[in-house]
Amino acid sequence: MVASLRKLAEFFRVNCQKVEHILICLHRADTFCDVKSEAKKWCFDRNQGPFFFEYDNYIRKTYFTPARSIIRAYNSQNPRASLHFFITTIDEPGLLELPWIYLASFLENNNND
């Protein structure tokens, strides 16, 4: 995973300089975690308010720890860009929906500006 993320970070740095939000989804979460527990913990609730900052921090610290230095280096070189991390699986629709809900809320907020 670290080598793949290193290549992605380099690709983003070279080819996506104007992109502000990059979503990285680690798919097939059912192969490396308890997706039922994660989905229950991170179930989106419209009445609960925004929780993507907490979710992103949790996913980054829990599942992307080996790539921490790559992520930190990318963020320091690209202050305009923002990496957001998700775990997804087709076995748990709640997790699969989160990146799309994040995108929808981001697009909605930008349309209201």
Side-chain angles (χ1 to χ4, degrees):
M1 174 180 78
V2 173
S4 298
L5 194 54
R6 186 174 286 120
K7 288 178 186 178
L8 271 176
E10 181 61 20
F11 175 83
F12 295 149
R13 189 185 65 72
V14 172
N15 300 298
C16 305
Q17 295 173 356
K18 295 181 181 181
V19 175
E20 292 181 27
H21 295 271
I22 298 173
L23 279 59
I24 298 176
C25 300
L26 190 55
H27 192 56
R28 300 283 316 264
D30 51 293
T31 63
F32 58 84
C33 73
D34 179 358
V35 292
K36 299 259 186 246
S37 172
E38 293 290 10
K40 186 176 181 180
K41 185 185 311 179
W42 298 107
C43 179
F44 180 77
D45 181 358
R46 179 181 288 259
N47 299 321
Q48 198 173 30
F51 71 106
F52 285 109
F53 179 76
E54 292 85 10
Y55 174 81
D56 183 69
N57 282 334
Y58 171 79
I59 297 300
R60 188 181 309 202
K61 289 176 183 173
T62 305
Y63 300 106
F64 288 86
T65 300
R68 183 180 12 226
S69 63
I70 296 166
I71 296 165
R72 192 176 303 124
Y74 178 82
N75 286 337
S76 69
Q77 294 171 355
N78 303 283
R80 183 176 177 186
S82 179
L83 298 176
H84 303 278
F85 297 88
F86 297 86
I87 57 171
T88 60
T89 176
I90 60 171
D91 294 338
E92 201 48 65
L95 292 176
L96 191 58
E97 294 168 347
L98 286 177
W100 297 103
I101 293 169
Y102 174 82
L103 283 173
S105 64
F106 171 73
L107 292 172
E108 178 64 24
N109 287 338
N110 277 349
N111 286 335
N112 290 331
D113 290 341

